[in-house]
Amino acid sequence: MSSAPSHRQMARSERRMFAASDDSTMLKQIQGTHAPDGRDVDVRPILEIIEDVFQRAAPSIPGAHIESLDDKTGAAVVDENGMLEALAFVIQKVSCEITCKCAGGGDAHATTMALLSLLSSYSWDAKVAIALTALAIAYGEFGLVVQLFSSHPLAKSVAVLKQLPDVMEHSNALKSRFEALNNLIGAMLDVTKRIVEFRQLPQQYISAEQRPLSVAMTHIPTAAYWTIRSVVACATQIFSLIGMSYEYVTSTTEAWELSSLAHKERNIHDHLMQQLALCYQHIDEKKHIEAYNNLVRILDLPQLDNTRILRHLIYLKDDMMPLYEKPTNSRVHVEALRRKTVLLLISDFDVTEEELMILNQIYRKSRSKPELQYEIVWIPIIDKTVPWSDALQQRFEQLESMMSWYTLHHPKIMEPAAIRYIREVWNFEKKMILVTLDPQGKVVCQNALHMYLIWGNIAYPFTTMKEEALWRDESWTLELFVDDIKPEILDWAHEGRYVCVYGGEDMEWIKRFTHTAKEVAAAAGITLELVYAGKSNAKERMRKIVTTIDRDGLSHYLPDLNSMWYFWIRLECMLYSKMQHGKGVESDPIMQEVMTVLSFDGSDQGWATMWFGLTDMARSKGDTILDCLMMFEDWKENASRIGFLPALKEHLQALHTPHHCNRLILPGVGGGIPERVVCAECGRPMEKYFMYRCCTD
C-alpha cells in the first residue's frame, strides 16, 4: 500500500481546491464530464435507504451522530421500482473506483473528476446519489464490523483482518473525527436533497430555460462536484482507519479537513436554498395566476347553484369546515348557503363598532321575515405578508363577536387568487364592501352596502336593478333625509309642524340659533321642532355638545351617537350609490341636496334645513340662516302673505353673497370620487384636493 500524503500537503491541496473549483476554468472542466443520455432516474427511494444506513452506522462510535437526520427506523429496504437493480452495476463500479483511489491515497480532485466521468451519462442528482450510495455501502460495512466486533465471531475475524482493533481501543480519541465525518455526511445529504428538489420542480410552472431556474441550474455542477468531492474525503477517512497507528488516531488534521468540507457544503446548501426560494416564489406566482384565471372563468360561467363559486371564493378544499355559524356557534360547510342570496361582507380589521351595530340591526330585522332568503358572510381581508399575532387574533375575535351572521373561520384560509379577484375585479381597497351573489352564484351587485344602509331590507334582493328601481321612486323628502332614525320627526311633519334639522359643532352658534329659531317660531305663530343631527367624524365632541343641549333644553337630538353616525353615513351612501349608476350632480336633484348637506358638514360653522311637510324645504349654512332669522321683522309680513317657508327661502336668497362658500370632505364608503363638484351655494365648480385624516376627534 502506498503511503498517504502528509497532513500539511493535504491541507495545502484542500485550500488550493477551495480557491480553484469555483472559477470558470474549473466549471468548464466539471461540465465537460457531463453528457446525459436522457434516462430518467428517480433517486428519492434510494436516498431514503442511504439515510437509514448513515443513521444506523453513525452511533458505532460513542458521540458520533448525524444531526440533520431523523431516525428512519421505517426506511424502505425493498426496491419497489427496481431502481437499485438498474443501478447496481454502476454503483459497483463507483464503489470499486472509490475503494481503489481512496484506499491508495490518490489525489482527491483527480478521483472526483474520474467519478464524474464514470457517471457522465447520468443527471446531476443521479451522479451525486450514486456516489453517496457507494459511500453508504462502505460506511455501512465498516459500521457493521465495529458494532458486532464484540459479539459476533465473524465480525471479530474480519476486524482483525482489517486491523481495526485500534479503532475500538481508541474510540474516545476518534470521537471528534467521527463527529466531523458525520457532520459532513449530513451536509452532503442536505445538498443532495436540494439538487434532487430542483429536478422535481413542476415543469408546467417553471422552465429550466428561463429564470430563476436557469440561473439556479448554473450552480448545480459546482454543488455536485463538491458533494462527490466530499464523498471521496469521507471514503478516504474510513479506509485510513485500517491499520492506523495511535499517532494517526490522535491527529486532528483529518477532522479539520472534514470540517472545512462540511462548511463548504453548508454554504452551498444555503445558496441552493436561496435559489429554491426564488423558484418556489416563481411557481407560486404561476399557480396564483392559474388559480386566478380559473376563478375568473368559473365566475363567468352559469351555475346550477352557488356552492361551486362560494367554494372557490371562500375555501376550495374539503379538509375542514371554513365557516362559523353564529346562531348555532358551530362550524359549517359552504353547502349551508346553497341556493340562498349571499352578501359577502368584505373588509379589513379597521371596522368601526357603529358600522357593525347598524348592519346588525338591519340583518336581525330580516330574520323575522321568511321571505328574505339571504345570508351575510364576513370575508376579512388581511395582508398575508404580516405575521399572524396574538393582537391580530384578539382583534379578529373581537370583530367576530359583534357579528350575528356567518364569518370565515380564519382569515388565513383565504386563497391568494380569491383575494386578488376581490381587490382587482370588485375594487376592494380599504372601505368595506358588500357583494351580492344570487342563488346561482352570479354577482348581481358589486357593492350593495350603499343600498343596504339607505333602505335596509326594502332593498332585497340587493341587486343593481333593485337599486335603480328604488331610486326611480325616490325624491328629496324628509323621509329620505332622516329615514326612521328618529321616528318622531316624520310624525311631527304629518301633524303639520315645522321641522328644523340642524348640525355643527360651534356651541355658541347652536345656542344663538336655537334661541332665535324658537323666538321667530313664536312670533310667526308656527309650531317648530328643532332636531340636532351632529357632525360626522367628531364622536367625542358630539358627546359633549349633546350633553349641553340636553342639560339646557335647547332642542331635540338624534337618539345617540350611533344614530348620528348612521345619519351621515346614509348621506354618503346616497352620493356613492348615485355615482355607481352614473348620475351627475348637475342633473340629479337628490345628489345636489346630498352634496349640499355634506358640504355644510365640511365647513367650520353650523347649518340648518327647515321642513314643512315631507317635501317643502329651505336650507343654508349657519351664519346665513341665523342672520335671516334675526331679521325676521323684515320679512314677517311676507311670511304672513305667502307662508313661512317660502318667505324664508326668498330672504335666504336675498342674503346670498358670491364670497367663499363651502368645502366638501368625502371620507367615502367605497366607490369613486366625482371629477366635478359644484358649490351648493354659488353653483361654481369647487377645487379638488386630497385629504387624509386621522383621529378627527
Side-chain angles (χ1 to χ4, degrees):
M1 184 184 301
S2 60
S3 61
S6 71
H7 300 153
R8 291 186 179 182
Q9 286 175 333
M10 292 179 67
R12 284 195 299 270
S13 175
E14 292 288 352
R15 286 194 289 271
R16 285 197 301 271
M17 287 308 306
F18 288 171
S21 68
D22 293 326
D23 63 20
S24 58
T25 303
M26 178 60 67
L27 182 59
K28 289 179 181 178
Q29 187 179 359
I30 296 168
Q31 290 175 328
T33 66
H34 189 55
D37 58 10
R39 74 184 75 185
D40 185 25
V41 180
D42 184 4
V43 299
R44 288 174 297 178
I46 301 174
L47 282 178
E48 291 186 17
I49 302 174
I50 293 172
E51 283 188 283
D52 188 59
V53 170
F54 284 132
Q55 178 68 31
R56 295 178 188 278
S60 58
I61 299 297
H65 60 282
I66 301 177
E67 294 181 355
S68 64
L69 296 180
D70 296 326
D71 182 17
K72 291 188 172 292
T73 56
V77 293
V78 179
D79 180 21
E80 296 179 355
N81 299 320
M83 190 59 68
L84 279 175
E85 183 180 351
L87 296 176
F89 181 69
V90 70
I91 291 172
Q92 182 63 30
K93 287 180 67 177
V94 171
S95 295
C96 292
E97 186 78 13
I98 289 175
T99 301
C100 177
K101 297 288 178 63
C102 296
D107 178 76
H109 170 63
T111 302
T112 303
M113 296 305 296
L115 291 174
L116 285 171
S117 298
L118 181 61
L119 296 169
S120 63
S121 59
Y122 292 90
S123 58
W124 292 109
D125 60 319
K127 297 179 201 288
V128 178
I130 291 169
L132 273 177
T133 303
L135 177 64
I137 292 171
Y139 194 42
E141 291 174 347
F142 175 81
L144 277 173
V145 171
V146 173
Q147 290 178 31
L148 298 176
F149 171 79
S150 61
S151 60
H152 199 289
L154 177 59
K156 185 173 183 179
S157 297
V158 172
V160 171
L161 291 175
K162 284 181 172 287
Q163 287 294 290
L164 293 179
D166 276 353
V167 174
M168 276 63 78
E169 183 179 348
H170 302 297
S171 61
N172 288 331
L174 287 169
K175 179 180 177 181
S176 63
R177 187 176 310 177
F178 270 87
E179 283 184 345
L181 178 67
N182 290 320
N183 284 337
L184 176 55
I185 289 172
M188 290 157 51
L189 281 166
D190 284 343
V191 171
T192 303
K193 289 178 184 178
R194 300 296 81 78
I195 296 174
V196 172
E197 199 170 344
F198 276 108
R199 180 79 183 278
Q200 300 299 322
L201 292 175
Q203 296 180 4
Q204 67 269 36
Y205 298 116
I206 192 164
S207 169
E209 290 75 33
Q210 294 179 331
R211 300 169 73 95
L213 184 54
S214 62
V215 175
M217 294 305 293
T218 61
H219 302 285
I220 298 300
T222 303
Y225 169 85
W226 277 108
T227 303
I228 296 176
R229 175 71 183 79
S230 297
V231 167
V232 171
C234 290
T236 300
Q237 288 297 308
I238 294 170
F239 293 131
S240 69
L241 293 173
I242 297 174
M244 65 168 57
S245 64
Y246 178 73
E247 290 76 12
Y248 191 65
V249 168
T250 56
S251 172
T252 60
T253 304
E254 286 72 18
W256 177 88
E257 292 163 0
L258 296 177
S259 297
S260 298
L261 282 168
H263 179 72
K264 179 75 173 178
E265 284 286 275
R266 290 296 177 202
N267 286 340
I268 291 172
H269 177 263
D270 291 345
H271 184 70
L272 292 180
M273 286 293 290
Q274 293 173 6
Q275 297 297 317
L276 270 171
L278 294 175
C279 289
Y280 282 124
Q281 180 180 343
H282 178 86
I283 291 169
D284 286 343
E285 289 171 357
K286 290 288 187 180
K287 286 183 176 180
H288 294 165
I289 292 171
E290 182 181 69
Y292 175 79
N293 292 335
N294 190 39
L295 181 60
V296 171
R297 181 182 60 81
I298 289 171
L299 281 164
D300 285 341
L301 291 174
Q303 305 290 332
L304 293 175
D305 60 45
N306 56 4
T307 52
R308 186 183 182 197
I309 285 174
L310 286 170
R311 279 166 56 85
H312 276 81
L313 285 170
I314 295 174
Y315 191 70
L316 191 56
K317 301 173 186 176
D318 293 319
D319 58 345
M320 61 177 284
M321 292 182 284
L323 297 178
Y324 180 71
E325 187 179 39
K326 198 60 173 288
T328 61
N329 292 323
S330 60
R331 297 266 295 279
V332 297
H333 286 290
V334 169
E335 280 70 17
L337 304 171
R338 184 187 295 272
R339 295 191 179 279
K340 292 183 179 181
T341 295
V342 176
L343 305 182
L344 300 177
L345 182 65
I346 300 168
S347 76
D348 57 16
F349 282 1
D350 291 329
V351 183
T352 66
E353 184 178 340
E354 292 88 351
E355 287 175 304
L356 294 180
M357 185 172 296
I358 297 301
L359 292 173
N360 269 308
Q361 288 176 5
I362 299 171
Y363 178 74
R364 283 173 181 151
K365 288 179 181 177
S366 74
R367 299 302 89 184
S368 61
K369 299 178 180 180
E371 69 274 14
L372 300 178
Q373 291 293 314
Y374 77 88
E375 297 292 346
I376 297 179
V377 180
W378 181 40
I379 306 293
I381 303 296
I382 60 170
D383 184 354
K384 286 206 167 187
T385 62
V386 177
W388 191 253
S389 62
D390 291 340
L392 286 175
Q393 181 66 28
Q394 291 172 6
R395 179 58 177 164
F396 171 67
E397 292 174 359
Q398 178 189 23
L399 291 173
E400 188 181 47
S401 68
M402 299 182 203
M403 300 176 183
S404 52
W405 44 77
Y406 290 94
T407 62
L408 206 61
H409 163 59
H410 197 283
K412 287 286 187 180
I413 70 173
M414 281 289 291
E415 290 293 334
I419 295 175
R420 179 185 169 189
Y421 189 91
I422 288 169
R423 292 190 185 280
E424 293 186 6
V425 179
W426 292 344
N427 301 316
F428 171 75
E429 293 179 2
K430 177 72 177 173
K431 290 293 183 178
M432 176 191 297
I433 63 173
L434 195 64
V435 180
T436 308
L437 304 180
D438 71 7
Q440 285 71 47
K442 181 181 178 182
V443 178
V444 290
C445 185
Q446 201 161 296
N447 190 4
L449 184 63
H450 312 313
M451 72 173 106
Y452 199 74
L453 291 173
I454 297 168
W455 294 288
N457 292 307
I458 295 173
Y460 178 81
F462 313 109
T463 66
T464 301
M465 292 179 62
K466 180 67 173 182
E467 190 172 19
E468 290 174 346
L470 288 168
W471 278 127
R472 281 196 298 269
D473 295 337
E474 285 288 2
S475 58
W476 185 244
T477 63
L478 182 61
E479 188 173 12
L480 179 63
F481 187 41
V482 298
D483 194 51
D484 62 351
I485 297 175
K486 187 174 179 65
E488 301 97 304
I489 295 176
L490 298 181
D491 293 339
W492 295 330
H494 288 303
E495 293 169 3
R497 305 185 194 186
Y498 286 81
V499 176
C500 177
V501 180
Y502 73 98
E505 58 180 329
D506 184 339
M507 198 63 235
E508 290 304 313
W509 178 87
I510 291 172
K511 290 179 179 179
R512 292 176 61 202
F513 172 73
T514 53
H515 177 73
T516 304
K518 290 176 183 179
E519 287 185 339
V520 169
I526 62 171
T527 304
L528 176 65
E529 302 291 348
L530 293 157
V531 183
Y532 178 66
K535 184 179 177 66
S536 64
N537 298 319
K539 188 174 181 179
E540 292 306 316
R541 291 198 296 274
M542 292 307 97
R543 194 188 307 276
K544 296 176 182 177
I545 291 171
V546 167
T547 300
T548 303
I549 290 174
D550 183 58
R551 183 193 66 207
D552 297 346
L554 301 179
S555 72
H556 302 285
Y557 47 86
L558 296 183
D560 50 45
L561 298 179
N562 289 332
S563 299
M564 290 183 181
W565 175 87
Y566 186 34
F567 172 81
W568 290 107
I569 209 68
R570 278 185 77 252
L571 291 174
E572 292 174 12
C573 286
M574 291 178 201
L575 177 64
Y576 286 117
S577 176
K578 286 281 188 178
M579 287 165 48
Q580 277 187 175
H581 293 279
K583 302 298 182 182
V585 179
E586 294 87 347
S587 60
D588 192 295
I590 294 178
M591 283 191 78
Q592 292 171 6
E593 297 300 336
V594 169
M595 199 75 80
T596 297
V597 178
L598 290 175
S599 64
F600 286 162
D601 182 61
S603 68
D604 294 324
Q605 56 179 289
W607 58 272
T609 62
M610 192 76 70
W611 296 81
F612 184 65
L614 298 178
T615 58
D616 291 339
M617 181 205 68
R619 36 72 169 172
S620 182
K621 58 185 179 181
D623 289 344
T624 304
I625 197 166
L626 180 57
D627 290 343
C628 183
L629 292 177
M630 294 178 69
M631 299 167 65
F632 178 63
E633 289 297 324
D634 295 344
W635 52 278
K636 181 177 181 181
E637 183 177 342
N638 194 33
S640 300
R641 187 177 72 254
I642 65 173
F644 181 80
L645 200 58
L648 175 63
K649 290 183 189 178
E650 284 188 6
H651 203 73
L652 284 172
Q653 185 63 32
L655 292 177
H656 174 74
T657 61
H659 300 302
H660 171 71
C661 304
N662 292 305
R663 68 182 181 187
L664 178 64
I665 298 174
L666 297 175
V669 291
I673 298 298
E675 287 297 319
R676 186 173 185 271
V677 176
V678 297
C679 176
E681 291 290 320
C682 68
R684 292 182 297 182
M686 301 175 76
E687 292 186 63
K688 183 168 67 173
Y689 293 88
F690 292 98
M691 176 176 287
Y692 299 89
R693 289 173 48 154
C694 181
C695 305
T696 53
D697 281 350

